[in-house]
mmCIF file of all heavy atoms in Angstrom:
data_model
loop_
_atom_site.group_PDB
_atom_site.id
_atom_site.type_symbol
_atom_site.label_atom_id
_atom_site.label_comp_id
_atom_site.label_asym_id
_atom_site.label_seq_id
_atom_site.Cartn_x
_atom_site.Cartn_y
_atom_site.Cartn_z
ATOM 1 N N THR A 1541 15.093 -8.634 -1.773
ATOM 2 C CA THR A 1541 16.137 -8.285 -0.803
ATOM 3 C C THR A 1541 15.685 -8.653 0.612
ATOM 4 O O THR A 1541 16.483 -9.140 1.426
ATOM 5 C CB THR A 1541 16.395 -6.741 -0.820
ATOM 6 O OG1 THR A 1541 16.704 -6.359 -2.189
ATOM 7 C CG2 THR A 1541 17.551 -6.376 0.071
ATOM 8 N N THR A 1542 14.393 -8.452 0.878
ATOM 9 C CA THR A 1542 13.861 -8.772 2.173
ATOM 10 C C THR A 1542 12.374 -9.155 2.009
ATOM 11 O O THR A 1542 11.732 -8.769 1.039
ATOM 12 C CB THR A 1542 14.019 -7.618 3.177
ATOM 13 O OG1 THR A 1542 13.625 -8.038 4.492
ATOM 14 C CG2 THR A 1542 13.160 -6.418 2.770
ATOM 15 N N VAL A 1543 11.860 -9.914 2.973
ATOM 16 C CA VAL A 1543 10.475 -10.322 2.983
ATOM 17 C C VAL A 1543 9.880 -9.812 4.304
ATOM 18 O O VAL A 1543 10.388 -10.092 5.387
ATOM 19 C CB VAL A 1543 10.340 -11.842 2.895
ATOM 20 C CG1 VAL A 1543 8.858 -12.273 2.954
ATOM 21 C CG2 VAL A 1543 10.996 -12.376 1.604
ATOM 22 N N LEU A 1544 8.783 -9.038 4.151
ATOM 23 C CA LEU A 1544 8.176 -8.444 5.364
ATOM 24 C C LEU A 1544 6.653 -8.567 5.270
ATOM 25 O O LEU A 1544 6.075 -8.556 4.195
ATOM 26 C CB LEU A 1544 8.495 -6.919 5.398
ATOM 27 C CG LEU A 1544 9.950 -6.515 5.612
ATOM 28 C CD1 LEU A 1544 10.082 -5.007 5.461
ATOM 29 C CD2 LEU A 1544 10.431 -6.921 6.994
ATOM 30 N N PRO A 1545 5.980 -8.696 6.438
ATOM 31 C CA PRO A 1545 4.525 -8.587 6.438
ATOM 32 C C PRO A 1545 4.111 -7.162 6.118
ATOM 33 O O PRO A 1545 4.887 -6.209 6.359
ATOM 34 C CB PRO A 1545 4.156 -8.975 7.883
ATOM 35 C CG PRO A 1545 5.371 -8.610 8.676
ATOM 36 C CD PRO A 1545 6.550 -8.863 7.794
ATOM 37 N N SER A 1546 2.903 -6.996 5.559
ATOM 38 C CA SER A 1546 2.462 -5.654 5.243
ATOM 39 C C SER A 1546 2.113 -4.871 6.508
ATOM 40 O O SER A 1546 2.083 -3.671 6.525
ATOM 41 C CB SER A 1546 1.221 -5.703 4.338
ATOM 42 O OG SER A 1546 0.137 -6.344 4.984
ATOM 43 N N PHE A 1547 1.882 -5.594 7.614
ATOM 44 C CA PHE A 1547 1.713 -4.946 8.917
ATOM 45 C C PHE A 1547 1.998 -5.960 9.977
ATOM 46 O O PHE A 1547 1.968 -7.175 9.748
ATOM 47 C CB PHE A 1547 0.322 -4.385 9.071
ATOM 48 C CG PHE A 1547 -0.773 -5.432 9.187
ATOM 49 C CD1 PHE A 1547 -1.178 -5.968 10.367
ATOM 50 C CD2 PHE A 1547 -1.392 -5.865 8.010
ATOM 51 C CE1 PHE A 1547 -2.156 -6.947 10.452
ATOM 52 C CE2 PHE A 1547 -2.391 -6.850 8.074
ATOM 53 C CZ PHE A 1547 -2.749 -7.393 9.294
ATOM 54 N N THR A 1548 2.403 -5.497 11.133
ATOM 55 C CA THR A 1548 2.483 -6.337 12.298
ATOM 56 C C THR A 1548 1.641 -5.617 13.387
ATOM 57 O O THR A 1548 1.175 -4.500 13.187
ATOM 58 C CB THR A 1548 3.903 -6.483 12.815
ATOM 59 O OG1 THR A 1548 4.491 -5.183 12.993
ATOM 60 C CG2 THR A 1548 4.735 -7.253 11.831
ATOM 61 N N THR A 1549 1.402 -6.286 14.458
ATOM 62 C CA THR A 1549 0.497 -5.704 15.464
ATOM 63 C C THR A 1549 1.104 -5.727 16.839
ATOM 64 O O THR A 1549 1.866 -6.599 17.197
ATOM 65 C CB THR A 1549 -0.854 -6.458 15.503
ATOM 66 O OG1 THR A 1549 -0.617 -7.807 15.867
ATOM 67 C CG2 THR A 1549 -1.565 -6.381 14.182
ATOM 68 N N ARG A 1550 0.744 -4.720 17.595
ATOM 69 C CA ARG A 1550 0.963 -4.729 19.021
ATOM 70 C C ARG A 1550 -0.418 -4.611 19.652
ATOM 71 O O ARG A 1550 -1.306 -3.986 19.123
ATOM 72 C CB ARG A 1550 1.817 -3.528 19.477
ATOM 73 C CG ARG A 1550 3.253 -3.591 18.955
ATOM 74 C CD ARG A 1550 4.018 -2.369 19.390
ATOM 75 N NE ARG A 1550 5.371 -2.390 18.900
ATOM 76 C CZ ARG A 1550 6.222 -1.367 18.978
ATOM 77 N NH1 ARG A 1550 5.838 -0.275 19.602
ATOM 78 N NH2 ARG A 1550 7.445 -1.467 18.487
ATOM 79 N N ARG A 1551 -0.562 -5.197 20.808
ATOM 80 C CA ARG A 1551 -1.873 -5.194 21.437
ATOM 81 C C ARG A 1551 -1.801 -4.474 22.811
ATOM 82 O O ARG A 1551 -0.821 -4.554 23.513
ATOM 83 C CB ARG A 1551 -2.368 -6.601 21.703
ATOM 84 C CG ARG A 1551 -2.534 -7.406 20.425
ATOM 85 C CD ARG A 1551 -3.199 -8.742 20.685
ATOM 86 N NE ARG A 1551 -3.340 -9.505 19.445
ATOM 87 C CZ ARG A 1551 -4.036 -10.641 19.339
ATOM 88 N NH1 ARG A 1551 -4.668 -11.112 20.382
ATOM 89 N NH2 ARG A 1551 -4.081 -11.281 18.203
ATOM 90 N N ALA A 1552 -2.867 -3.802 23.114
ATOM 91 C CA ALA A 1552 -3.040 -3.217 24.428
ATOM 92 C C ALA A 1552 -4.513 -3.419 24.814
ATOM 93 O O ALA A 1552 -5.369 -3.462 23.958
ATOM 94 C CB ALA A 1552 -2.691 -1.729 24.441
ATOM 95 N N SER A 1553 -4.760 -3.580 26.084
ATOM 96 C CA SER A 1553 -6.128 -3.813 26.532
ATOM 97 C C SER A 1553 -6.595 -2.677 27.415
ATOM 98 O O SER A 1553 -5.818 -2.031 28.119
ATOM 99 C CB SER A 1553 -6.208 -5.124 27.313
ATOM 100 O OG SER A 1553 -5.861 -6.229 26.503
ATOM 101 N N THR A 1554 -7.885 -2.383 27.303
ATOM 102 C CA THR A 1554 -8.500 -1.362 28.149
ATOM 103 C C THR A 1554 -9.940 -1.693 28.331
ATOM 104 O O THR A 1554 -10.484 -2.604 27.690
ATOM 105 C CB THR A 1554 -8.332 0.035 27.542
ATOM 106 O OG1 THR A 1554 -8.765 0.989 28.484
ATOM 107 C CG2 THR A 1554 -9.133 0.154 26.253
ATOM 108 N N THR A 1555 -10.597 -1.033 29.225
ATOM 109 C CA THR A 1555 -12.028 -1.213 29.477
ATOM 110 C C THR A 1555 -12.713 0.127 29.455
ATOM 111 O O THR A 1555 -12.273 1.074 30.067
ATOM 112 C CB THR A 1555 -12.293 -1.902 30.826
ATOM 113 O OG1 THR A 1555 -11.644 -3.189 30.844
ATOM 114 C CG2 THR A 1555 -13.776 -2.116 31.058
ATOM 115 N N VAL A 1556 -13.835 0.193 28.702
ATOM 116 C CA VAL A 1556 -14.617 1.426 28.614
ATOM 117 C C VAL A 1556 -15.982 1.161 29.316
ATOM 118 O O VAL A 1556 -16.646 0.163 29.013
ATOM 119 C CB VAL A 1556 -14.839 1.850 27.161
ATOM 120 C CG1 VAL A 1556 -15.813 3.025 27.096
ATOM 121 C CG2 VAL A 1556 -13.508 2.212 26.535
ATOM 122 N N GLN A 1557 -16.353 2.025 30.227
ATOM 123 C CA GLN A 1557 -17.642 1.920 30.875
ATOM 124 C C GLN A 1557 -18.713 2.559 30.000
ATOM 125 O O GLN A 1557 -18.584 3.714 29.605
ATOM 126 C CB GLN A 1557 -17.604 2.594 32.261
ATOM 127 C CG GLN A 1557 -16.657 1.941 33.237
ATOM 128 C CD GLN A 1557 -17.071 0.511 33.632
ATOM 129 O OE1 GLN A 1557 -18.244 0.229 33.700
ATOM 130 N NE2 GLN A 1557 -16.090 -0.346 33.790
ATOM 131 N N LEU A 1558 -19.771 1.817 29.712
ATOM 132 C CA LEU A 1558 -20.849 2.334 28.893
ATOM 133 C C LEU A 1558 -21.909 2.944 29.775
ATOM 134 O O LEU A 1558 -21.962 2.751 30.987
ATOM 135 C CB LEU A 1558 -21.461 1.185 28.059
ATOM 136 C CG LEU A 1558 -20.429 0.445 27.155
ATOM 137 C CD1 LEU A 1558 -21.154 -0.649 26.408
ATOM 138 C CD2 LEU A 1558 -19.761 1.407 26.221
ATOM 139 N N ARG A 1559 -22.842 3.672 29.130
ATOM 140 C CA ARG A 1559 -23.822 4.429 29.864
ATOM 141 C C ARG A 1559 -24.803 3.544 30.658
ATOM 142 O O ARG A 1559 -25.324 3.912 31.687
ATOM 143 C CB ARG A 1559 -24.623 5.313 28.905
ATOM 144 C CG ARG A 1559 -23.818 6.492 28.381
ATOM 145 C CD ARG A 1559 -24.611 7.267 27.332
ATOM 146 N NE ARG A 1559 -23.888 8.426 26.836
ATOM 147 C CZ ARG A 1559 -24.346 9.220 25.876
ATOM 148 N NH1 ARG A 1559 -25.474 8.953 25.278
ATOM 149 N NH2 ARG A 1559 -23.618 10.257 25.485
ATOM 150 N N ASP A 1560 -25.048 2.320 30.123
ATOM 151 C CA ASP A 1560 -26.021 1.450 30.783
ATOM 152 C C ASP A 1560 -25.372 0.606 31.894
ATOM 153 O O ASP A 1560 -25.979 -0.318 32.423
ATOM 154 C CB ASP A 1560 -26.695 0.534 29.777
ATOM 155 C CG ASP A 1560 -25.683 -0.324 29.001
ATOM 156 O OD1 ASP A 1560 -24.492 -0.268 29.324
ATOM 157 O OD2 ASP A 1560 -26.121 -1.068 28.106
#
Side-chain angles (χ1 to χ4, degrees):
T1541 307
T1542 187
V1543 179
L1544 294 172
S1546 62
F1547 67 91
T1548 54
T1549 61
R1550 294 179 182 172
R1551 300 188 181 188
S1553 297
T1554 188
T1555 300
V1556 173
Q1557 295 295 324
L1558 303 180
R1559 289 176 177 175
D1560 59 5

